[in-house]
């Protein structure tokens, strides 16, 4: 169990976060400068917020209200922060042995080799850190953190600076390590792909605030605000006006589009909604128009392509339709349109998701001030 | 107007190979190099200082080296050997070697922590402490010796305290060490401070995160990583201590250290008698540099 609340200022940046996770894998996600690293540093004890609370498992590490502040070297939270290198004056094996506790005395060497093997570095013990690649160094850093018998793992952008194929392998290995050791892990990333792979729960941080928590699928499918929508790749954010509301659905008009969406409580007359590029219905000349996709028998809207970006298994199509800039994703073998093409665009029923205004999206259930007053939520 | 890149190439057209580079069109891979044959190793353009600078530099080098050649060249081997024997018999060599070594050790023991605090610490008055380190360099050693006398002389507060307990600081071995440390320690502190600044603070943070408290972290991470830099500063400190005269002559005229002995010999018997002592000091200095260089090559290499 991870329980964090921290409020502090650093220059013009102010951090005011609170989250609690019962999941084994928690991901702190957000754009750079959102306060992810600072949150991790509060947890590791390298930053002490004037008001804060940090608990890992049943161990309270920081509780400013009660004057508890465990120093970093007694927290044992397995922090691997960005820029944390290996000790250059020690061999790889000695790096791993560095933080081993007394209970391992006499067995350090065997254990170091076993840990190195568990991160796929059998036979690396005698090497010098400077001779390793970035990915190998990250693995050693992970083995070194595990060797100190941490009660958790805090990883700050653990795969930054590692080549893509190696990163994929590292992610998989990390998952196995976390699962096999039953360690709660908090991983910081700005890459939503990584959130999907690593996270059971994702905490979305924007400008020092928690704007949304939930499972990666939940956050990707139902982002709360326009900012989160863009962060998770639901890049079409449209302003619209509610035409009607009837029970389980509302009808919203955005430019030339009339869309049926699932409503939420407290719906104002003017709303914002997001549509993922792959959910946008697109028909360009020659392609077979998937009938029924447009929904409600409403006619599709004429649009014009102005840029096409090739992707691994499809293409991202940037287009203008009815005065709106839209992004569509064309998957698979269908020949992608080219700039200048006229296309038909529609937003199928269920493709759009209503967003909350940014201002409303302040921390909801659980704020630091509540936590710091000792209010249980 | 775009300038043509060669006579045969227009402003935009691709450069046509001329006779000399025509072989560049041979497909790569077959012969190893587009230019045919094995590629020659890359070479940096030779650096050459402009003439005026070279002349100015040469004048100084000559000025620094010529006295050694002329002065030590005039030494007679037998007379020199006798003078060195006299210096050893007078105890000056032993006193100097021992005190310079003790002083260097004292500078390390107290100076390394001070340097670390200055490099890492964030405390009120840090800049004042940093400035205090330079105080001994601000005053001439002779004046420094005078100041030391007011504290460690037999009538000074510290010197007096020891004096009534039968321990003489001034005009004794401790006085020589005190004078040498006063003058030489700043060199150690500066070198060590630079060395500690070169140690990535993130590594200390890593150590804390691994459960190792600050003092242990200092000895297991910070000091080993800074050590080559500190070691490189040691010969300077030792030589500064060995050659210390001004403060020493004020605080501890007796027993003679080599520089004081040199001064006394010069006063009593002139240049001919003093020159061999100067040669001896120079030899000791060179030996120290060579020794630390050798030790640094081994010790430093093993540590990093």
């Amino acid at each position: 169990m991870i329980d964090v609340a921290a409020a502090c200022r650093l220059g013009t940046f102010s951090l005011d976060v609170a989250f609690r996770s019962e999941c084994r894998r928690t991901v702190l996600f957000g754009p750079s400068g959102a306060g992810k690293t600072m949150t991790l540093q509060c947890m590791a004890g390298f930053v002490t917020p004037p008001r804060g609370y940090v608990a890992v498992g049943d161990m309270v590490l920081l509780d400013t209200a009660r004057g508890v502040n465990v120093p970093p070297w007694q927290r044992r939270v397995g922090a691997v922060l960005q820029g944390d290198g290996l000790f250059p004056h020690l061999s790889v094996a000695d790096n791993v042995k560095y933080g081993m506790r007394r209970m391992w005395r006499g067995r350090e060497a065997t254990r170091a080799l076993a840990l190195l093997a568990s991160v796929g570095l059998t036979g690396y013990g005698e090497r010098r850190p400077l001779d390793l690649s970035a990915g190998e160094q990250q693995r050693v850093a992970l083995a070194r953190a595990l060797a100190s018998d941490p009660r958790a793992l805090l990883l700050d952008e653990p795969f930054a600076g590692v080549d893509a194929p190696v990163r994929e392998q590292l992610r998989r290995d990390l998952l196995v390590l976390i699962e096999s050791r039953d360690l709660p892990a908090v991983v910081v990333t700005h890459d939503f792909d990584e959130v999907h792979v690593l996270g059971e729960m994702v905490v979305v941080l924007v400008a020092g605030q928690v704007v949304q928590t939930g499972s990666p699928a939940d956050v990707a499918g139902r982002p709360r605000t326009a900012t989160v929508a863009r962060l998770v790749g639901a890049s079409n954010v449209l302003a619209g006006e509610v035409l009607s509301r009837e029970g389980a659905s509302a009808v919203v008009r955005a430019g030339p589009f009339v869309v049926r969406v699932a409503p939420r409580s407290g719906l104002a007359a003017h709303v914002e909604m997001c549509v993922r590029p792959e959910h946008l219905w697109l028909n360009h000349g020659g392609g077979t128009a998937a009938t029924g996709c447009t929904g409600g028998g409403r006619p599709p809207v004429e649009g014009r392509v102005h840029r096409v970006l090739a992707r691994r298994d499809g293409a991202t199509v940037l287009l203008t339709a009815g005065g709106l800039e839209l992004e569509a994703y064309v998957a698979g073998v269908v020949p992608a349109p080219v700039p200048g093409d006229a296309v038909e665009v529609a937003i199928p029923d269920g493709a759009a998701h209503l967003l909350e205004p940014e201002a409303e999206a302040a921390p909801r259930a659980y704020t630091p001030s509540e936590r710091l007053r000792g209010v249980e939520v | 107007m775009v300038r043509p890149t060669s006579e045969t190439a227009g402003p935009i057209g691709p450069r046509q190979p001329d006779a000399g580079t025509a072989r560049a069109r041979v497909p790569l891979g077959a012969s190893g190099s587009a230019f045919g044959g094995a590629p020659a190793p890359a070479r940096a353009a030779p650096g050459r200082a402009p003439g005026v600078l070279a002349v100015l530099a040469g004048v100084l080098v000559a000025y620094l080296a010529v006295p050694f050649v002329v002065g030590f060249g005039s030494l007679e081997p037998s007379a020199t050997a006798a003078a060195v024997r006299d210096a050893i018999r007078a105890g000056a060599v032993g006193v100097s070697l021992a005190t310079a070594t003790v002083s260097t050790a004292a500078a390390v023991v107290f100076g390394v922590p001070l340097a670390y605090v200055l490099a890492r610490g964030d405390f009120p008055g840090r800049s004042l402490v940093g400035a205090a380190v330079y105080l001994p360099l601000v005053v001439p050693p002779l004046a420094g010796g005078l100041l030391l006398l007011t504290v460690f002389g037999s009538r000074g507060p510290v010197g007096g305290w020891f004096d009534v307990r039968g321990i003489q600081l001034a005009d004794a071995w401790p006085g020589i060490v005190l004078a040498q440390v006063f003058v030489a320690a700043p060199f150690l502190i500066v070198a060590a401070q630079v060395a500690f600044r070169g140690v990535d603070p993130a590594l200390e943070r890593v150590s804390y995160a691994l459960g190792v408290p600050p003092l242990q972290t200092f000895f297991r991470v910070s000091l080993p990583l800074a050590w080559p830099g500190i070691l490189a500063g040691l010969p300077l400190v030792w030589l500064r201590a060995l050659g210390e005269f001004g403060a020493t002559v004020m605080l501890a005229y007796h027993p003679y250290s080599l520089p004081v002995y040199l001064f006394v010999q010069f006063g009593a018997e002139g240049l001919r008698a003093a020159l061999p002592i100067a040669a001896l000091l120079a030899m000791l200095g060179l030996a120290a540099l060579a020794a630390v260089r050798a030790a640094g090559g081994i010790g430093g290499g093993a540590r990093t």
Side-chain angles (χ1 to χ4, degrees), chain B residues 49-67:
Chain B
V52 184
L53 301 187
V55 169
L56 292 173
V59 169
L60 186 59
V61 168
Y63 170 67
L64 294 178
V66 163

Side-chain angles (χ1 to χ4, degrees), chain A residues 162-181:
Chain A
V162 178
D163 292 345
V166 183
R167 195 180 326 155
E168 199 49 47
Q169 186 62 45
L170 277 173
R171 280 179 192 159
R172 265 178 247 160
D173 291 355
L174 180 61
L175 274 181
V176 173
L177 277 176
I178 296 171
E179 297 297 327
S180 65
R181 279 161 195 276

Side-chain angles (χ1 to χ4, degrees), chain A residues 73 76 96-109 111 147-149, chain B residues 210-213 216 220:
Chain A
W73 49 93
R76 311 204 80 99
V96 176
K97 285 185 222 164
Y98 184 88
M100 276 189 207
R101 312 175 82 170
R102 285 226 182 85
M103 56 191 263
W104 297 103
R105 186 157 289 173
R107 289 172 292 165
E108 288 110 329
R111 185 157 183 262
S148 68
D149 293 311
Chain B
L210 290 168
V212 177
Q216 279 189 50
R220 293 179 64 187

Side-chain angles (χ1 to χ4, degrees), chain A residues 80 119 137-147 153 155 174 177:
Chain A
V80 182
V119 294
Q137 293 191 18
Q138 274 295 352
R139 286 164 186 261
V140 178
L142 195 59
R144 182 177 62 178
L146 291 170
L153 267 184
L155 308 175
L174 180 61
L177 277 176

Side-chain angles (χ1 to χ4, degrees), chain A residues 41 46 72-74 76-79 81-90 95 97-100 102 128 144-145 148, chain B residues 200-214 216-225 301-304:
Chain A
Q41 285 184 328
F46 297 121
W73 49 93
Q74 285 168 12
R76 311 204 80 99
V77 285
L81 301 183
Q82 265 203 306
D84 279 6
L86 301 179
F87 300 119
H89 60 303
L90 300 177
N95 263 280
K97 285 185 222 164
Y98 184 88
M100 276 189 207
R102 285 226 182 85
R128 291 272 139 188
R144 182 177 62 178
S148 68
Chain B
D200 186 355
L203 292 175
E204 292 165 1
R205 195 182 63 186
V206 171
S207 175
Y208 300 158
L210 290 168
V212 177
Q216 279 189 50
T217 296
F218 173 80
F219 283 112
R220 293 179 64 187
V221 176
S222 323
L223 190 57
L225 285 174
R303 276 166 209 278
T304 46

Side-chain angles (χ1 to χ4, degrees), chain B residues 71-149:
Chain B
F72 294 154
S74 69
L75 287 173
E76 289 161 25
S78 60
T80 303
V84 167
R85 267 198 302 278
D86 283 349
I88 293 172
R89 208 169 292 134
V93 174
V95 165
S96 263
L97 289 179
T99 52
T101 306
V102 170
S103 297
T104 305
V108 169
V109 168
F110 295 98
V112 165
L114 176 55
Y116 184 73
V117 166
L118 284 172
R120 281 283 186 276
D122 187 19
F123 54 92
R126 205 192 74 94
S127 53
L128 277 180
V129 176
V133 167
Y134 288 92
L135 279 180
L137 302 179
V138 172
V139 292
L142 214 56
L146 212 60
L147 296 172
L148 286 175
L149 212 48

